[in-house]
Amino acid sequence: MRERFVATTQALLGTDLRLAVVLADISGDVFEPARRQYPRRVINVGIREQLMISVASGLALEGLRPIVHSYTPFLIERPYEQLKLGLCHQDVGAVLVSIGGSYDWPAGGRTHQAPGDVALLDALPGWTVHVPGHPGEVETLLRHALPGRDRVYLRLSLQMNAAPRPIVPGKFEVLRQGTRGTVLAVGPLLTHVLNAVAEEDLTLLYAATIRPFDAETLRATLREPSVILVEPYLEGTSAHEAARALAHVPHRLLSLGVGRTELRRYGKMAEHEAAHGLDARSLRERITSFLRP
């Protein structure tokens, strides 16, 4: 996903003079050719993440469209106050592009894990959040984000589905309709969900954009009041959105995602996935248990 993001961004820098890239050392090496070619629009501030966001907000105030890129915790958690004041309070836009997901690099330890990123942005106004499930979806979402002046978060990960989907930014895709409930799979967890519910008579929705929340599609496809959210970040992150969408519809909700207990062993990405119950076997057990009469 990062390779697709870098290639697309470097190509667009040559055609859109509004674009500027702001880095804090992460991916500085891969953006070095672009920095040499566009030194006034590719800026590496060093390991100063708060400054990275402040520079981006200044560029936005001057009419540019900043693309800000770093590891998830360095992009959302560390400079959170700058996101709140520099971008949101001044009501200017930027495209934030993270790498690292929730636990892509377990060897980096807790400093490189940020499963609470989308939940944190939910506390701030006006964010669009894209969660591609495959490298083939990254360019579509990035190109959709760049022309505007709004605040957009593009969450990249090493986790990925077996194949890209023909996504429409902002809309949930209806993969199939069923009678026993609805499962909403977000981003790179779709393949695990497909394997988990292959034999279940369920409606299956796919989201590569989770904010704004496509309440219309959820309501339109609801056939039975059991709703299951499967998200690749903190469990319960979209529970309030689903509850609001179904406020006038009797329903019950199961939220699956990264657990709130910190895993203190480094392990491997697949081991973290299983420990949080997000592998196909665990999802099957948790979903079928929830649906059991």
Side-chain angles (χ1 to χ4, degrees):
M1 290 191 191
R2 174 162 61 168
E3 291 173 1
R4 188 65 60 90
F5 154 64
V6 171
T8 302
T9 301
Q10 294 191 137
L12 292 174
L13 279 166
T15 61
D16 188 344
L17 299 181
R18 293 176 61 235
L19 298 186
V21 175
V22 188
L23 309 169
D25 266 7
I26 300 298
S27 297
D29 54 343
V30 294
F31 272 106
E32 181 58 22
R35 191 197 65 78
R36 290 196 301 267
Q37 191 170 4
Y38 310 107
R40 296 174 63 86
R41 290 191 292 125
V42 178
I43 304 165
N44 186 347
V45 302
I47 307 175
R48 301 175 180 88
E49 286 82 5
Q50 291 92 339
L51 176 61
M52 174 179 66
I53 300 299
S54 294
V55 167
S57 64
L59 293 171
L61 284 167
E62 290 298 317
L64 277 77
R65 185 60 163 160
I67 302 171
V68 193
H69 170 63
S70 190
Y71 253 87
T72 313
F74 310 148
L75 186 64
I76 304 298
E77 293 180 331
R78 187 172 294 173
Y80 189 70
E81 184 177 15
Q82 283 69 36
L83 294 176
K84 180 179 73 172
L85 299 179
L87 293 177
C88 295
H89 180 62
Q90 297 189 100
D91 197 21
V92 293
V95 179
L96 274 55
V97 182
S98 73
I99 54 170
S102 294
Y103 41 73
D104 280 7
W105 189 37
R110 186 62 174 171
T111 58
H112 286 68
Q113 298 172 14
D117 54 341
V118 178
L120 282 169
L121 289 181
D122 265 351
L124 300 175
W127 283 91
T128 294
V129 178
H130 299 306
V131 188
H134 188 276
E137 298 167 5
V138 171
E139 183 171 348
T140 297
L141 294 170
L142 181 60
R143 286 181 177 272
H144 181 267
L146 291 178
R149 296 184 180 275
D150 55 341
R151 292 179 288 278
V152 181
Y153 180 42
L154 180 59
R155 189 184 204 266
L156 308 184
S157 176
L158 291 177
Q159 289 180 293
M160 69 178 71
N161 299 317
R165 299 297 310 171
I167 57 173
V168 176
K171 299 295 292 183
F172 296 164
E173 181 188 0
V174 182
L175 276 72
R176 70 180 194 223
Q177 293 255 221
T179 62
R180 295 194 62 205
T182 296
V183 181
L184 173 59
V186 179
L189 290 178
L190 175 61
T191 293
H192 285 337
V193 170
L194 285 169
N195 292 333
V197 302
E199 299 177 3
E200 299 291 336
D201 183 19
L202 293 165
T203 295
L204 181 56
L205 307 179
Y206 173 60
T209 301
I210 195 64
R211 299 290 183 276
F213 190 87
D214 184 8
E216 182 180 357
T217 297
L218 178 61
R219 286 193 295 265
T221 56
L222 196 69
R223 298 290 180 269
E224 200 277 339
S226 298
V227 178
I228 301 148
L229 298 177
V230 186
E231 303 181 273
Y233 35 75
L234 193 66
E235 64 182 9
T237 295
S238 293
H240 70 288
E241 292 284 357
R244 181 164 57 182
L246 302 174
H248 302 293
V249 181
H251 67 280
R252 61 194 192 113
L253 177 66
L254 174 65
S255 292
L256 304 178
V258 178
R260 294 173 183 267
T261 299
E262 180 181 340
L263 302 180
R264 296 180 178 271
R265 296 183 181 179
Y266 286 0
K268 298 179 180 178
M269 185 167 65
E271 292 173 317
H272 281 252
E273 198 171 59
H276 289 295
L278 295 175
D279 60 308
R281 181 186 61 80
S282 300
L283 287 172
R284 184 181 304 111
E285 293 173 356
R286 300 169 80 182
I287 291 171
T288 55
S289 176
F290 177 69
L291 295 172
R292 193 174 296 130

